[in-house]
């Protein structure tokens, strides 16, 4: 899954770098470290405008930029991450900020890959974290409070999640505090899509009036998989106000079969 906000050369560069990351063959611990290293480099590029300008300057030769990066980062990040960053600065980027955004995305992919066969569990846990943030306004406010440091917010998350989730879930939730998305909730939602994509699935948000049985979920997932020609991971949200039926959101598609929706449609027809 590529970032949808990257265009032209930036999108091409990210696709190539993602493929290279997948060919690295690192073990889970190694991939987790690659993720941490890439997050750190992305943070430096965002904070240090002079460094960002140097490594994205189109008038500077590619090899000179990669050499500079190796000189600056040698001993500060591991070799796999250093090789990726060195190759990244040799690429052409549509906008200077795209480099840091791409490195952050690659870091997310690395952490997701570190979960290995637990990628589906990781997707479920990120969805649960997102629902927790949605349902607990005090927690949401604490994590968005500008008066609290990022370290303090990360400590709060660790107190809630550590030992209860996969390490990758905790790491991505912490990164959501420091990333580029507008809110932690939006970041966690995007990370979940990447986690689902890691095991070849799309994410469908299913809103229902009452809990679906396991059988109902399996039949719905199978029907959506046939329609979209790939596995579909379900996020089921119970909303009693729907009265009945269900609303399915998958990508930009919305399938609304709720009673409330049908009543609204009937009212519009009568009024029109």
């Amino acid at each position: 899954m590529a970032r949808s906000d990257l265009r032209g050369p930036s999108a091409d560069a990210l696709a190539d770098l993602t493929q290279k990351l997948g060919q690295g063959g690192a073990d889970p611990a190694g991939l987790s470290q690659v993720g941490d290293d890439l997050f750190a480099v992305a943070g430096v590029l965002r904070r240090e405008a002079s460094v960002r300008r140097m490594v994205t300057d189109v008038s500077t030769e590619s090899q000179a930029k990669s050499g500079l990066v190796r000189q600056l980062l040698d001993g500060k990040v591991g070799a796999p991450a250093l090789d990726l960053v060195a190759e990244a600065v040799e690429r052409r980027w549509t906008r200077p900020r795209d480099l840091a955004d791409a490195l952050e995305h690659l870091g997310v992919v690395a952490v997701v890959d570190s979960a290995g066969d637990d990628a589906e569990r990781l997707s479920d846990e990120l969805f649960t974290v997102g629902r927790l943030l949605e349902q607990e306004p005090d927690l949401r406010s604490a994590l968005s409070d500008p008066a609290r440091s990022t370290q303090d917010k990360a400590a709060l998350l660790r107190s809630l999640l550590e030992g209860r989730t996969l390490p990758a879930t905790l790491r991505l939730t912490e990164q959501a505090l420091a990333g580029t998305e507008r809110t932690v909730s939006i970041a966690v939602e995007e990370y979940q899509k990447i986690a689902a994509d890691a095991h070849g699935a799309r994410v469908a948000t299913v809103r229902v009036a009452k809990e679906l049985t396991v059988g109902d979920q399996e039949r719905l997932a199978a029907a959506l998989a046939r329609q979209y020609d790939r596995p579909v991971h379900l996020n089921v949200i119970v909303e009693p106000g729907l009265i009945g039926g269900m609303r399915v959101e998958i990508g930009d598609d919305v399938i609304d079969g709720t009673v409330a929706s049908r009543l609204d449609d009937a009212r519009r027809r009568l009024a029109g």
Side-chain angles (χ1 to χ4, degrees):
M1 176 180 177
R3 287 183 61 117
S4 59
D5 58 334
L6 297 186
R7 298 285 185 269
S10 291
D12 294 339
L14 178 57
D16 290 343
L17 291 166
T18 302
Q19 184 176 22
K20 180 174 181 179
L21 173 64
Q23 296 169 344
D27 59 16
L31 284 166
S32 181
Q33 185 60 55
V34 170
D36 283 345
D37 288 344
L38 292 173
F39 291 150
V41 176
V44 169
L45 291 174
R46 291 186 180 120
R47 291 192 304 271
E48 303 293 339
S50 59
V51 175
R52 184 173 63 250
R53 283 194 296 269
M54 283 189 293
V55 297
T56 58
D57 187 351
V58 295
S59 66
T60 303
E61 290 186 2
S62 296
Q63 291 185 339
K65 288 188 285 189
S66 63
L68 173 62
V69 159
R70 290 186 180 280
Q71 181 180 354
L72 290 174
L73 299 179
D74 184 37
K76 298 182 176 66
V77 300
L82 181 55
D83 288 343
L84 272 174
V85 176
E87 182 169 336
V89 299
E90 292 184 1
R91 300 298 184 117
R92 184 181 162 209
W93 298 93
T94 308
R95 302 167 298 185
R97 74 182 191 192
D98 288 352
L99 173 59
D101 290 348
L103 292 177
E104 181 188 350
H105 180 93
L106 290 168
V108 174
V109 173
V111 175
V112 166
D113 288 348
S114 76
D117 294 337
D118 284 326
E120 187 168 3
R121 177 184 166 188
L122 172 61
S123 184
D124 283 335
E125 289 183 354
L126 289 171
F127 172 65
T128 300
V129 171
R131 290 292 291 159
L132 177 66
L133 293 170
E134 184 178 325
Q135 295 168 352
E136 298 293 338
D138 290 344
L139 174 61
R140 197 166 59 247
S141 297
L143 295 177
S144 61
D145 185 354
R148 301 183 72 159
S149 68
T150 300
Q151 292 79 5
D152 183 35
K153 295 174 185 178
L156 174 59
L157 287 173
R158 283 194 296 274
S159 71
L160 295 171
L161 303 179
E162 197 164 28
R164 300 179 178 90
T165 66
L166 293 168
T169 303
L170 175 58
R171 183 65 190 91
L172 290 176
T173 306
E174 290 177 333
Q175 177 59 26
L177 296 168
T180 57
E181 300 293 351
R182 295 192 307 277
T183 67
V184 174
S185 297
I186 292 174
V188 168
E189 181 180 351
E190 289 303 309
Y191 297 166
Q192 193 215 358
K193 292 177 183 176
I194 296 173
D197 190 66
H199 62 274
R202 295 193 67 176
V203 175
T205 300
V206 181
R207 301 179 187 276
V208 293
K210 60 180 182 179
E211 286 283 359
L212 296 177
T213 66
V214 173
D216 287 339
Q217 291 191 43
E218 290 175 348
R219 285 188 288 274
L220 176 59
L224 291 172
R226 288 193 298 271
Q227 182 173 345
Y228 289 93
D229 197 29
R230 65 185 298 187
V232 175
H233 184 91
L234 302 184
N235 289 341
V236 180
I237 300 174
V238 177
E239 294 184 357
L242 295 179
I243 305 176
M246 68 177 64
R247 175 185 172 93
V248 180
E249 303 163 9
I250 181 165
D252 294 329
D253 297 340
V254 177
I255 306 167
D256 197 338
T258 62
V259 172
S261 174
R262 293 196 292 271
L263 289 173
D264 286 342
D265 184 57
R267 290 191 192 99
R268 285 194 296 271
R269 293 187 183 201
L270 289 172

